[in-house]
């Protein structure tokens, strides 16, 4: 097999990379350039709303450099999980940016879009066939859950991407895709060892997250050969070590040696990590075990209403000492006020109030080991979730004032127990979502759930 060079521009498009690093990567003549565009890390909002995570300006900056580099080398450029969640809206958003850059720079290429948003009728059919099962600990699903979903995507593997490359695509914009599939597609198409191709892709997908000291998101390259792959950050001041590369193999995985993909499992039990110098690492022994059937992960999000937040600080020691009972009593008494406002039209099961106490256990909640070590002040982050924007606004406006003056037994008369850092003291977040699908579907083939279109630019 010929040496295959794969350049990862950054861990995520829109998060940036140094132009000097990327330019060095281009000078080393990679056979493919790729960059991930999404994740579930930021929660269900982006899938539910169809709105991107990073700014258009930041994504356009990164995409322009990658498109110019691709045009210089005439190699494929692959972007995965467009718009962060990988829905059709995210792909359309990324297409618009790509076409704008092409016009401004006078670029010509063959564009492929691979959409991963799923048809609900198709999913219901597969559900009745017993082809959709939950990933632990997700519960079983029903037609009602599918219908409630704002958007559902399937996470594609390498096959649709490799097919687009075979059809002559120069720029490939993918819907939801596994991070690794973006980087493994071309090496696998060219006959690379499957274990090495997939393992190298795992190290590349987060950019310089596998380095010893990560200064910032940046570019990194892999050289995939017959019996090993090498990994090197493109910034000459950055370093990889055997430990840092091995550690990233375990990153975001329940098993430190096995990484499940749609078509099989990466097996790293026999891997050896060798320092070539103080910056580069060589990896031997990666294996890949093909699955009998391709499985595609489903991600879905549904609306849970509208939400507002209230931020307030408390420095009163009497109040801090009885904070839990104060919050509980206030919430209970406030329910009567909600009934007054809406005349019984909104019951206690139709809205939700949740409070995080920062300075005590706001980050770790019930897992906080130092819950009794409370300082002299705390911050309350109160979220109000209600069925619609109007009722959410009414409840949160009233709650902020209600909490401000809610009394304590040690004080007679009016108190002002909260300090609000901003005005107005509540912020409307808009519609909010929750994940409702974390399941796998077994299709007839790895292509049937994805739609590829080509366009000459």
């Amino acid at each position: 097999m010929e040496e295959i060079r794969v350049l990862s521009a950054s861990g995520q498009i829109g998060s940036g990379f140094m132009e000097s690093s990327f330019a060095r990567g281009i000078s080393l003549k990679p056979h493919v350039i790729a960059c991930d565009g999404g994740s579930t890390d930021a929660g269900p909002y982006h899938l539910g709303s169809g709105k991107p995570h990073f700014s258009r300006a930041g994504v356009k900056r990164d995409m322009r450099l990658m498109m110019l580099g691709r045009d210089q080398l005439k190699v494929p450029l692959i972007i995965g999980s467009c718009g962060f969640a990988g829905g059709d809206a995210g792909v359309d958003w990324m297409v618009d940016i790509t076409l704008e850059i092409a016009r401004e720079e006078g670029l010509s290429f063959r564009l492929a879009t691979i959409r991963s948003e799923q048809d609900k009728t198709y999913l219901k059919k597969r559900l009745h066939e017993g082809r959709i099962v939950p990933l632990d600990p997700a519960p079983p699903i029903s037609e009602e859950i599918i219908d409630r979903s704002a958007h559902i995507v399937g996470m594609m593997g390498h096959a649709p991407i490799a097919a687009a490359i075979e059809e002559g695509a120069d720029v490939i914009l993918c819907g939801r895709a596994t991070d690794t599939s973006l980087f493994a597609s071309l090496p696998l198409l060219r006959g690379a060892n499957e274990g090495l191709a997939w393992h190298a892709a795992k190290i590349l997908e987060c950019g310089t997250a596998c380095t010893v000291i990560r200064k910032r998101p940046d570019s990194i390259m892999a050289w995939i050969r017959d019996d090993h792959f090498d990994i090197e950050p493109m910034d000459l001041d950055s370093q990889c070590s055997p430990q840092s590369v091995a550690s990233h193999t375990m990153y975001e995985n329940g098993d430190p040696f096995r990484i499940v993909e749609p078509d099989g499992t990466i097996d790293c039990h026999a891997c050896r990590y060798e320092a070539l110098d103080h910056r580069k690492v060589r990896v031997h022994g990666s294996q890949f075990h093909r699955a009998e059937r391709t499985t595609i992960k489903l991600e879905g999000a549904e609306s849970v209403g509208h939400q507002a937040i209230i931020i307030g600080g408390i420095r009163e020691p009497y109040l801090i000492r009885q904070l839990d009972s104060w919050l509980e009593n206030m919430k209970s008494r406030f329910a009567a006020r909600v009934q007054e406002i809406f005349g019984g039209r909104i019951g206690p099961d139709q809205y939700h109030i949740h409070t995080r106490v920062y300075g005590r256990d706001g980050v770790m909640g019930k897992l906080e080991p130092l819950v009794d070590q409370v300082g002299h002040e705390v911050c309350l982050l109160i979220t109000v979730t209600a069925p619609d924007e109007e009722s959410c606004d009414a409840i949160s406006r009233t709650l902020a004032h209600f909490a401000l003056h809610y009394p304590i037994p040690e004080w007679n008369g009016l108190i002002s127990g909260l300090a609000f850092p901003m005005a107005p003291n509540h912020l409307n977040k808009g519609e909010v979502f929750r994940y409702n699908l974390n399941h796998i579907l077994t299709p007839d083939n790895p292509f049937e759930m994805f739609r590829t279109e080509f366009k000459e630019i």
Side-chain angles (χ1 to χ4, degrees):
M1 184 199 73
E2 64 175 309
E3 173 185 273
I4 300 175
R5 298 179 294 278
V6 184
L7 175 61
S8 171
S10 185
Q12 202 156 61
I13 187 170
S15 66
F17 50 85
M18 293 194 295
E19 290 190 42
S20 58
S21 299
F22 185 73
R24 179 168 179 261
I26 294 298
S27 73
L28 295 173
K29 295 183 168 43
H31 297 102
V32 61
I33 305 165
C35 189
D36 186 28
S39 171
T40 57
D41 290 355
Y45 173 78
H46 305 288
L47 178 56
S49 67
K51 296 180 180 178
H53 179 68
F54 286 104
S55 71
R56 192 181 192 278
V59 169
K60 184 178 177 182
R61 178 266 184 190
D62 292 355
M63 188 63 175
R64 182 191 300 276
L65 292 172
M66 285 187 278
M67 288 174 64
L68 291 173
R70 187 226 74 81
D71 188 66
Q72 179 182 336
L73 298 176
K74 306 302 181 188
V75 299
L77 168 62
I78 306 168
I79 306 297
S81 299
C82 289
F84 204 73
D88 286 354
V91 174
D92 291 338
W93 183 72
M94 200 66 218
V95 167
D96 182 67
I97 292 173
T98 301
L99 296 182
E100 184 173 284
I101 295 169
R103 290 191 300 269
E104 293 171 351
E105 299 291 344
L107 301 177
S108 298
F109 49 87
R110 192 172 201 215
L111 174 67
T113 56
I114 310 176
R115 298 180 184 272
S116 62
E117 193 155 333
Q118 299 300 301
D119 176 75
K120 293 182 179 180
T121 301
Y122 166 80
L123 294 178
K124 292 176 186 177
K125 177 176 180 291
R126 290 308 196 196
L127 177 64
H128 288 298
E129 294 169 347
R131 295 224 195 170
I132 300 179
V133 296
L135 289 167
D136 186 54
I141 61 168
S142 63
E143 285 195 5
E144 290 73 24
I145 290 175
I146 293 174
D147 284 332
R148 289 203 309 263
S149 301
H151 300 282
I152 301 170
V153 292
M155 184 178 283
M156 75 181 75
H158 79 285
I161 303 171
I165 296 173
E166 284 193 292
E167 290 291 324
D170 299 308
V171 177
I172 304 173
L173 304 179
C174 304
R176 189 71 171 113
T178 71
D179 302 347
T180 44
S181 64
L182 314 174
F183 303 91
S185 295
L186 185 130
L188 293 172
L189 188 60
R190 293 197 176 185
N193 175 283
E194 289 183 305
L196 295 171
W198 280 111
H199 192 183
K202 168 59 186 171
I203 304 303
L204 289 167
E205 49 99 1
C206 276
T208 49
C210 67
T211 56
V212 175
I213 299 175
R214 184 175 181 266
K215 297 188 297 185
R216 55 164 295 168
D218 206 12
S219 304
I220 194 165
M221 184 178 284
W223 290 255
I224 302 171
R225 304 187 181 97
D226 286 332
D227 65 346
H228 68 269
F229 71 85
D230 295 343
I231 194 86
E232 179 191 348
M234 293 295 95
D235 176 16
L236 293 175
D237 292 329
S238 188
Q239 305 172 21
C240 283
S241 72
Q243 181 179 3
S244 72
V245 174
S247 296
H248 192 71
T249 301
M250 306 176 191
Y251 178 62
E252 295 182 327
N253 290 306
D255 188 304
F257 300 107
R258 300 172 69 255
I259 305 163
V260 179
E261 293 291 330
D263 296 320
T265 301
I266 307 168
D267 185 346
C268 300
H269 280 89
C271 285
R272 291 182 290 113
Y273 302 86
E274 172 190 352
L276 296 178
D277 56 29
H278 70 289
R279 300 185 56 254
K280 307 172 190 175
V281 170
R282 176 164 293 175
V283 181
H284 298 266
S286 311
Q287 299 177 357
F288 188 77
H289 305 301
R290 289 197 185 189
E292 292 183 6
R293 301 287 299 272
T294 296
T295 55
I296 302 298
K297 182 189 174 192
L298 298 175
E299 296 170 354
E302 64 180 80
S303 175
V304 292
H306 285 252
Q307 193 171 84
I309 61 174
I310 300 166
I311 301 173
I314 296 179
R315 199 178 184 280
E316 168 54 58
Y318 283 106
L319 210 164
I320 290 176
R321 283 200 291 268
Q322 57 190 303
L323 187 57
D324 286 331
S325 61
W326 182 82
L327 288 170
E328 183 179 349
N329 292 336
M330 179 191 66
K331 186 177 177 180
S332 177
R333 290 283 298 276
F334 184 70
R337 182 70 183 112
V338 173
Q339 292 300 299
E340 292 175 355
I341 295 172
F342 295 102
R345 296 190 306 276
I346 294 182
D349 60 338
Q350 293 178 281
Y351 69 94
H352 179 69
I353 297 171
H354 178 70
T355 303
R356 292 183 185 272
V357 182
Y358 287 96
R360 186 186 68 180
D361 59 355
V363 175
M364 301 215 20
K366 293 180 180 180
L367 298 177
E368 175 56 62
L370 305 178
V371 67
D372 296 325
Q373 299 183 25
V374 183
H376 66 280
E377 66 177 8
V378 296
C379 173
L380 303 185
L381 175 62
I382 304 171
T383 58
V384 177
T385 309
D388 55 74
E389 187 172 13
E390 183 178 357
S391 58
C392 182
D393 185 71
I395 292 171
S396 57
R397 284 176 183 268
T398 309
L399 176 61
H401 186 267
F402 193 89
L404 172 65
H405 298 303
Y406 192 72
I408 56 176
E410 292 83 357
W411 190 263
N412 295 319
L414 180 71
I415 71 165
S416 295
L418 289 178
F420 296 117
M422 63 191 71
N425 48 31
H426 78 291
L427 302 171
N428 288 318
K429 287 183 60 184
E431 193 173 15
V432 290
F433 300 85
R434 67 180 170 209
Y435 284 122
N436 62 0
L437 285 176
N438 189 38
H439 295 65
I440 56 172
L441 186 155
T442 304
D444 289 334
N445 60 70
F447 304 98
E448 73 176 37
M449 297 174 64
F450 309 103
R451 311 177 311 279
T452 303
E453 300 174 353
F454 295 92
K455 184 176 183 179
E456 300 296 332
I457 307 300

